[in-house]
Amino acid sequence: MKRDLLTPMDFTVEELDELFHLAEDIEHHPEKYAHACEGKKLAACFYEPSTRTRLSHETAMLNLGGRTMGFPDGGVSSATKGETVADTARVISCFADICVIRSPKEGAAAVAAHYASIPVINAGDGGHQHPTQTLTDLLTIKSLQGHLDNFTIGLCGDLKFGRTVHSLINALVRYPHVRFIFISPPELRVPDYITEMLEEKAISYEEVTRIEDVIQNLDILYMTRIQKERFFNEEDYVRLKNYYILDEAKLQKAKPDCYVLHPLPRVNEIAVDVDDDPRAAYFRQVQYGVYIRMALILTLLNIQVDPSIPQPSGNI
Ligand code: CP
């Protein structure tokens, strides 16, 4: 049976622990994994723009000794001639060993996974889910804090359309004593299905509009941009785009170990003067994204590398 990653829930907490353990070993001993995917090919099929997710998956496969192919824009694929995601998934299965797909349509990755005979990784489907970003976020939090339980996270910005937020909340509710503070304009509140799910599980959450009112209570501040591409009209976007700007002055009120994360790209919501603050962790987060995607590719391809045995790192 092939295995896909469509939502963070596709892995149990125990399986996620194994993934994080593998990612940590990759971080500290990359040479052991440098040939693990020799002869394997990853197809990156992106119907929506991306810098990190596409290049991070490609870097991950290259670091593992594999090769990559794909398209960075649906406009240069046969989607422009009317080819469906289902047919494309069948075709890619003839070329590659694993496929990563991003689409503006919710559910597109699930369709691809249904028709593909190779593992499919969801690299973001509309405003729905972005599971590899979530794995990145979890590994980053675990590496910075040392644990994934018992902390308060503030999620700030576009909580309505931000798929990274939806995925991260879904994943974090499985860890004990995680408290959520949602910081958003009223128009961009986290969807009702999420607050209903939190209430059903009796998980603590609060909704506020101002960062300044809660920043001192946070262990993690997860900033997000206003998702311009998902607005129905420009006027609403222009009104809301600068609603939040985290700067060094605001961050002064935060705890000394309150880390600032952001899935990136950033627009205006974090001023550049925050970048030099030791709590600014968003560029470290990008690096963790490569380690976790390397671990994910190995896991979905069911490739085991005995971490105790050093692998050759060059031609012998
Ligand atoms: N975080 C993220 O998804 O970035 P990209 O859109 O650049 O892939």
Side-chain angles (χ1 to χ4, degrees), residues 243-314:
Y243 205 95
Y244 297 110
I245 300 178
L246 178 70
D247 56 19
E248 197 50 25
K250 288 196 186 97
L251 198 55
Q252 287 312 313
K253 296 182 197 143
K255 294 179 189 175
D257 57 354
C258 169
Y259 291 103
V260 180
L261 272 58
H262 191 311
L264 304 179
R266 127 177 88 179
V267 187
N268 290 329
E269 59 281 354
I270 302 180
V272 290
D273 68 355
V274 175
D275 294 357
D276 294 330
D277 191 296
R279 295 168 291 186
Y282 29 93
F283 293 116
R284 278 177 277 172
Q285 198 177 347
V286 176
Q287 186 62 59
Y288 286 119
V290 176
Y291 303 138
I292 199 70
R293 289 177 175 117
M294 289 171 72
L296 179 65
I297 290 168
L298 288 173
T299 302
L300 293 182
L301 289 177
N302 201 17
I303 293 173
Q304 267 113 35
V305 174
D306 182 346
S308 64
I309 301 172
Q311 302 291 305
S313 57

Side-chain angles (χ1 to χ4, degrees), residues 46 49-54 102 123 130 133 163-164 263-265:
F46 277 63
S50 168
T51 296
R52 269 147 301 276
T53 311
R54 184 169 67 84
R102 169 172 286 187
H130 192 345
Q133 182 63 50
R163 59 192 174 198
T164 63
L264 304 179

Side-chain angles (χ1 to χ4, degrees), residues 107-316:
V111 171
H114 182 76
Y115 287 96
S117 58
I118 57 175
V120 170
I121 298 171
N122 180 6
D125 58 332
H128 184 221
Q129 296 276 329
H130 192 345
T132 65
Q133 182 63 50
T134 299
L135 300 185
T136 300
D137 300 340
L138 294 177
L139 178 64
T140 306
I141 295 170
K142 185 173 183 295
S143 300
L144 296 173
Q145 291 196 147
H147 55 91
L148 281 167
D149 57 351
N150 196 26
F151 68 96
T152 301
I153 181 168
L155 297 124
C156 177
D158 185 346
L159 308 188
K160 177 179 179 181
F161 296 117
R163 59 192 174 198
T164 63
V165 168
H166 306 161
S167 273
L168 183 57
I169 297 167
N170 270 322
L172 282 175
V173 296
R174 298 194 290 178
Y175 295 90
H177 310 301
V178 178
R179 298 164 293 278
F180 295 93
I181 300 184
F182 301 131
I183 309 158
S184 74
E187 299 93 327
L188 298 177
R189 281 185 56 239
V190 72
D192 287 343
Y193 78 87
I194 289 184
T195 51
E196 284 162 14
M197 178 268 293
L198 294 174
E199 280 160 26
E200 270 168 31
K201 293 179 186 291
I203 291 171
S204 166
Y205 78 91
E206 192 182 332
E207 291 187 273
V208 299
T209 53
R210 284 166 39 91
I211 303 182
E212 298 88 323
D213 292 344
V214 292
I215 195 165
Q216 66 281 2
N217 301 327
L218 305 178
D219 300 301
I220 297 285
L221 173 56
Y222 191 92
M223 297 295 295
T224 63
R225 75 185 164 92
I226 307 296
Q227 304 266 313
K228 181 181 183 184
E229 65 276 28
R230 312 217 189 278
F231 274 68
F232 294 112
N233 68 69
E234 177 82 9
E235 203 178 298
D236 284 348
Y237 172 70
V238 169
R239 184 167 51 80
L240 294 168
K241 69 177 183 178
N242 290 326
Y243 205 95
Y244 297 110
I245 300 178
L246 178 70
D247 56 19
E248 197 50 25
K250 288 196 186 97
L251 198 55
Q252 287 312 313
K253 296 182 197 143
K255 294 179 189 175
D257 57 354
C258 169
Y259 291 103
V260 180
L261 272 58
H262 191 311
L264 304 179
R266 127 177 88 179
V267 187
N268 290 329
E269 59 281 354
I270 302 180
V272 290
D273 68 355
V274 175
D275 294 357
D276 294 330
D277 191 296
R279 295 168 291 186
Y282 29 93
F283 293 116
R284 278 177 277 172
Q285 198 177 347
V286 176
Q287 186 62 59
Y288 286 119
V290 176
Y291 303 138
I292 199 70
R293 289 177 175 117
M294 289 171 72
L296 179 65
I297 290 168
L298 288 173
T299 302
L300 293 182
L301 289 177
N302 201 17
I303 293 173
Q304 267 113 35
V305 174
D306 182 346
S308 64
I309 301 172
Q311 302 291 305
S313 57
N315 294 333
I316 297 176

Side-chain angles (χ1 to χ4, degrees), residues 47 82-93 111-112 115:
Y47 296 89
E83 185 164 61
T84 62
V85 166
D87 282 359
T88 303
R90 286 177 164 134
V91 169
I92 297 294
S93 300
V111 171
Y115 287 96

